[in-house]
Amino acid sequence: MHSGTVASRSADPKDSRESKNGGRPPLDAVSLAIIEQLQEDGRRPYAAIGKAVGLSEAAVRQRVQKLLDQGVMQIVAVTDPLTVGFRRQAMVGIHVEGDVEAVADALTAMDECEYVVMTAGSFDLMVEIVCEDDDHLLEVINGRIRAVPGVRSTESFVYLKLKKQTYMWGTR
Amino acid sequence: MHSGTVASRSADPKDSRESKNGGRPPLDAVSLAIIEQLQEDGRRPYAAIGKAVGLSEAAVRQRVQKLLDQGVMQIVAVTDPLTVGFRRQAMVGIHVEGDVEAVADALTAMDECEYVVMTAGSFDLMVEIVCEDDDHLLEVINGRIRAVPGVRSTESFVYLKLKKQTYMWGTR
DNA sequence: GTCTCTGCTTGCGGATTTCGCAGGAGTGGG
DNA sequence: CCCACTCCTGCGAAATCCGCAAGCAGAGAC
């Protein structure tokens, strides 16, 4: 029902330059503040957020709902995978020949790829892999990733220890 | 109050091999299921989670609280930084001489480092940097990171486009 | 000017959820 | 056996969520 609002926006000719990253105006200052609140505590009640950002409870509720619908943010539990039983993680740098985006899409479709980003530098693509054990990791990297058409070569960086993991941009 | 529980556990001699990653038994199956639920929706009510994992509402609440207190998981809003006004991101690979962990700690203390991990491979450390613009990025990488004692050299991979970002391990 | 659209506010009530606390069951130590 | 500890359940009271309605203000379009 809320998505109807978004759809009507897309129909607006002025929004034709809308791309996948979301061609919407960078983001309102108040919404930023709301996101900050939820980055500190994803379960913080709407009333408390409203008090913090200077909005009514209902307004906060509407904004949060829209932000979620639009995919601008998501409220989720995050963990250190090592703690949750995934014993092998790695960052993999990839050299691509041909269409980088196509390769990225193929990797995105893999469950074990938790993070996929196109980069400038000596790698065209960097992906983070989450696996249960060494065999699994080997199978994913040497079996599946290298099998993707366009992947010229890969370089792996197995995780030894996760030192920091935050989601607090804007909170500074 | 709940932290007291943790402290008493630490006092147990059997837990002496407890390290920073948390020397606790890999994690209960039920807790795993709870985390899965919260990875799908960080605001899902305790009663609904309880129904899904076969526990009472109160029990789920206690478990979640403990998981949060222990730092096993956190419930937060996550966004694509590009959407939120941070226009420059980069992964930085670092070669270290001397104590890798000390360097990692120094980088962890920097606000702009969102992600710090010790790796095996041609880099000793990989860190993800979130900045507002090119100047900021330059200052962080060439000014601050390289100034950390023990950093021998760095290699940067500027983000062009974030293709995937999930937090759904265990959901497969 | 008027009309319309969008977004915020206030207020409301009912359903739902959160939260604290009083037990009860199971375990391991002395 | 008893104690201490952990984990669970059940149950009210308080707070929160959620939908809805009416009113208002600003921005455009015409």
Side-chain angles (χ1 to χ4, degrees):
Chain A
M1 42 213 63
H2 274 282
S3 55
T5 306
V6 178
S8 64
R9 281 187 56 112
S10 309
D12 185 340
K14 190 175 41 174
D15 285 358
S16 59
R17 46 177 161 56
E18 181 169 306
S19 65
K20 57 275 334 193
N21 88 0
R24 358 180 192 275
L27 210 44
D28 183 288
V30 180
S31 292
L32 251 309
I34 292 176
I35 293 177
E36 267 182 48
Q37 294 290 317
L38 290 172
Q39 279 172 345
E40 289 176 15
D41 176 7
R43 275 182 170 257
R44 184 163 299 169
Y46 295 135
I49 299 175
K51 198 162 303 182
V53 307
L55 240 56
S56 70
E57 175 266 349
V60 173
R61 203 185 335 137
Q62 291 165 23
R63 289 228 188 194
V64 169
Q65 193 55 53
K66 191 186 304 182
L67 289 171
L68 294 174
D69 287 345
Q70 289 178 166
V72 173
M73 75 169 179
Q74 40 184 332
I75 301 176
V76 294
V78 296
T79 64
D80 175 0
L82 276 311
T83 310
V84 199
F86 290 92
R87 319 187 126 261
R88 282 296 175 271
Q89 274 181 279
M91 184 69 71
V92 180
I94 302 178
H95 300 278
V96 175
E97 56 189 355
D99 188 355
V100 177
E101 195 124 19
V103 175
D105 288 336
L107 296 173
T108 295
M110 298 176 48
D111 283 340
E112 289 87 351
C113 292
E114 188 225 323
Y115 199 63
V116 176
V117 55
M118 299 170 56
T119 60
S122 73
F123 293 125
D124 300 302
L125 237 38
M126 304 207 68
V127 307
E128 189 182 56
I129 308 292
V130 178
C131 291
E132 304 184 6
D133 52 37
D134 288 324
D135 288 342
H136 190 189
L137 183 60
L138 183 67
E139 188 250 329
V140 170
I141 295 178
N142 286 344
R144 307 237 293 279
I145 292 182
R146 290 208 162 117
V148 174
V151 172
R152 188 200 301 267
S153 64
T154 67
E155 183 170 355
S156 304
F157 307 91
V158 175
Y159 284 18
L160 298 178
K161 184 194 280 188
L162 183 58
K163 292 289 292 186
K164 183 183 186 182
Q165 182 189 32
T166 55
Y167 307 90
M168 302 257 172
W169 335 284
T171 314
R172 61 182 191 233
Chain B
M1 41 211 67
H2 274 284
S3 55
T5 306
V6 178
S8 64
R9 282 187 57 112
S10 309
D12 185 341
K14 189 176 42 178
D15 286 359
S16 58
R17 46 176 161 56
E18 180 169 307
S19 65
K20 57 281 307 182
N21 88 0
R24 354 179 198 277
L27 211 46
D28 184 289
V30 179
S31 292
L32 250 309
I34 292 176
I35 292 177
E36 265 183 49
Q37 294 289 318
L38 290 172
Q39 278 172 345
E40 289 176 16
D41 176 7
R43 272 180 171 260
R44 184 163 298 169
Y46 295 134
I49 299 174
K51 198 161 304 181
V53 307
L55 240 56
S56 72
E57 175 267 344
V60 173
R61 197 184 344 133
Q62 291 166 21
R63 289 228 188 195
V64 169
Q65 193 55 52
K66 189 188 303 181
L67 289 171
L68 293 174
D69 288 344
Q70 288 178 166
V72 173
M73 75 171 179
Q74 39 185 332
I75 301 176
V76 294
V78 296
T79 64
D80 175 0
L82 275 311
T83 310
V84 199
F86 290 92
R87 317 188 126 261
R88 283 295 175 271
Q89 274 182 279
M91 185 69 71
V92 180
I94 302 179
H95 301 278
V96 175
E97 55 190 355
D99 187 355
V100 177
E101 195 124 17
V103 175
D105 289 336
L107 296 173
T108 295
M110 297 175 48
D111 283 340
E112 289 87 351
C113 292
E114 187 225 324
Y115 200 63
V116 177
V117 55
M118 298 170 57
T119 60
S122 73
F123 293 124
D124 300 302
L125 235 40
M126 304 206 67
V127 308
E128 190 181 57
I129 308 292
V130 178
C131 291
E132 303 185 7
D133 52 37
D134 288 323
D135 288 342
H136 191 189
L137 184 60
L138 184 67
E139 187 250 329
V140 170
I141 295 179
N142 286 344
R144 307 239 292 280
I145 293 183
R146 292 208 161 117
V148 175
V151 172
R152 186 201 300 269
S153 64
T154 68
E155 183 170 354
S156 305
F157 307 91
V158 175
Y159 283 18
L160 298 178
K161 183 195 282 188
L162 183 58
K163 293 288 293 186
K164 183 183 186 182
Q165 183 189 30
T166 55
Y167 307 91
M168 301 258 173
W169 334 284
T171 314
R172 63 179 190 236

